[in-house]
Amino acid sequence: MSDHDATRPGGTPRSETPRGETAGNEATRNRAPRGEAPQDETPTTRLRKELPQEVPAAVPRAERPEEGGEPALTGRQRLVQGLWPPRVSRAQLIVALLLFGLGFGLAVQVASNSESDNALRGARQEDLVRILDELDDRSQRLEDEKQGLEKQRQELENSSDQAEEARRQTIEKEKQLGVLAGTVAAQGPGITMVIEDTKGTVEADMLLDAIQELRAAGAEAIQVNGVRVVAGTYLTESGKSVSVDGNKINAPYRFKVIGKPQDLEPALNIPGGVVQTLEKEQATVSVERSAKIVVDALRAAEQPDYARSSSQ
């Protein structure tokens, strides 16, 4: 065996690279044919080479920290900061208080209207007609009073002797005021109401409610058991009886009232009115119309201590 021959262990001849062939030629020989994958390249490696490089997702501008400062706020955070804490000016506060007062007033008005509607909703048809007639009568009385005053003014303007006409009207007005003040007797159409109180359950406030209801219905003169009722009349409890202006009266209570009977009687008999209230207290009430009622109980004319006429 020559020096150029080299044997592998075990006596196997070693392959030699021919002279003139470089390492590049050896790499060329080891390269896989065109279109075929190299022997050491797997399908996963080839897929990774064909895919583009991964690009990191861009962070939204609102979430990126500002350069040299705190992170920027999101839209929701800016909205919350704009709403709370509230920034209220003086003008806005005044407007809010005015709106609150207006709303409260409207609520009270609606509640009062609802209460009155509920009270009338349960009334019978004839009671509603009676109440409506009473309102019409009151309006008519006010209209008649207005026309009377206008007539007096025209008489004063057209009279040749205005001084004599003024004197005559003054005397007439004095009589009218005397009836209202209780200093002169009066007569005319009206009603008589008698309240029998055998149980002793009728109190002073119930009689006062009856007087006020009669006045509201147009009563011009009222007398209770011989006591004249005037503008300053008061009623108090006196043991088991009632006192009117300090005068003790006992049951039965007899009211003599001058006014329009068609207005006075329905006013006492309205649902929930004077008659029903007294009957709930086990009292007996009778109302009788009359073409002539005489109210002859008088009150002494009182001279005021301090008030004086301002006319010259």
Side-chain angles (χ1 to χ4, degrees):
M1 179 179 298
S2 62
D3 296 337
H4 297 284
D5 294 332
T7 60
R8 293 181 181 177
T12 305
R14 188 192 319 176
S15 61
E16 296 180 359
T17 302
R19 291 182 180 180
E21 293 183 2
T22 61
N25 294 333
E26 185 178 358
T28 302
R29 286 196 306 268
N30 294 333
R31 185 183 302 170
R34 184 182 301 268
E36 296 181 3
Q39 295 179 359
D40 58 349
E41 183 176 328
T42 64
T44 303
T45 305
R46 184 179 60 188
L47 180 61
R48 288 180 180 177
K49 289 182 179 181
E50 293 178 357
L51 290 174
Q53 293 184 351
E54 296 182 358
V55 180
V59 180
R61 183 177 182 82
E63 299 180 0
R64 289 189 306 214
E66 298 288 341
E67 296 181 0
E70 298 180 354
L73 300 177
T74 62
R76 180 178 299 179
Q77 292 174 342
R78 289 196 299 270
L79 178 61
V80 172
Q81 287 186 355
L83 295 178
W84 189 264
R87 300 176 179 86
V88 181
S89 63
R90 183 177 181 182
Q92 292 174 340
L93 181 61
I94 294 174
V95 172
L97 292 176
L98 292 176
L99 292 176
F100 174 78
L102 178 61
F104 181 76
L106 291 175
V108 172
Q109 182 67 25
V110 170
S112 62
N113 292 338
S114 299
E115 292 177 359
S116 60
D117 292 342
N118 293 334
L120 294 176
R121 190 176 292 112
R124 298 176 300 176
Q125 182 176 1
E126 52 268 23
D127 295 331
L128 294 176
V129 173
R130 185 182 304 169
I131 294 173
L132 183 60
D133 293 339
E134 181 182 351
L135 294 176
D136 293 339
D137 293 337
R138 290 182 182 179
S139 300
Q140 186 62 38
R141 288 198 304 271
L142 293 176
E143 184 66 25
D144 294 341
E145 184 178 357
K146 175 184 176 183
Q147 293 178 359
L149 294 175
E150 291 179 350
K151 182 179 179 181
Q152 292 179 6
R153 180 176 61 83
Q154 292 175 1
E155 290 176 353
L156 287 174
E157 292 177 350
N158 300 330
S159 176
S160 57
D161 190 355
Q162 294 185 358
E164 183 64 25
E165 182 64 25
R167 190 179 299 108
R168 185 187 67 80
Q169 292 189 11
T170 300
I171 296 173
E172 186 67 24
K173 194 68 175 178
E174 182 181 0
K175 294 180 181 180
Q176 296 176 2
L177 295 176
V179 172
L180 297 177
T183 58
V184 298
Q187 65 178 12
I191 64 170
T192 300
M193 180 175 64
V194 181
I195 302 174
E196 297 284 350
D197 182 23
T198 58
K199 302 292 184 179
T201 56
V202 177
E203 299 178 352
D205 58 342
M206 300 177 185
L207 299 180
L208 181 59
D209 290 341
I211 292 174
Q212 292 177 344
E213 190 66 37
L214 290 170
R215 284 175 173 171
E220 298 176 351
I222 304 175
Q223 177 178 319
V224 183
N225 287 27
V227 180
R228 187 71 170 267
V229 176
V230 295
T233 294
Y234 61 93
L235 286 82
T236 58
E237 299 289 341
S238 180
K240 294 184 178 180
S241 59
V242 178
S243 294
V244 181
D245 291 338
N247 301 301
K248 186 177 180 179
I249 61 175
N250 298 314
Y253 304 108
R254 186 180 182 87
F255 286 72
K256 298 171 68 175
V257 187
I258 296 178
K260 189 176 180 181
Q262 294 81 357
D263 296 338
L264 299 176
E265 183 182 4
L268 298 173
N269 291 303
I270 61 176
V274 174
V275 174
Q276 287 190 1
T277 302
L278 292 173
E279 289 178 349
K280 288 180 180 179
E281 299 296 332
Q282 299 181 357
T284 303
V285 183
S286 61
V287 181
E288 182 182 355
R289 299 185 185 185
S290 178
K292 182 180 180 180
I293 298 292
V294 178
V295 176
D296 51 5
L298 303 179
R299 301 289 293 265
E302 297 181 0
Q303 186 69 25
D305 297 328
Y306 305 100
R308 295 293 183 269
S309 176
S310 58
S311 60
Q312 300 297 332

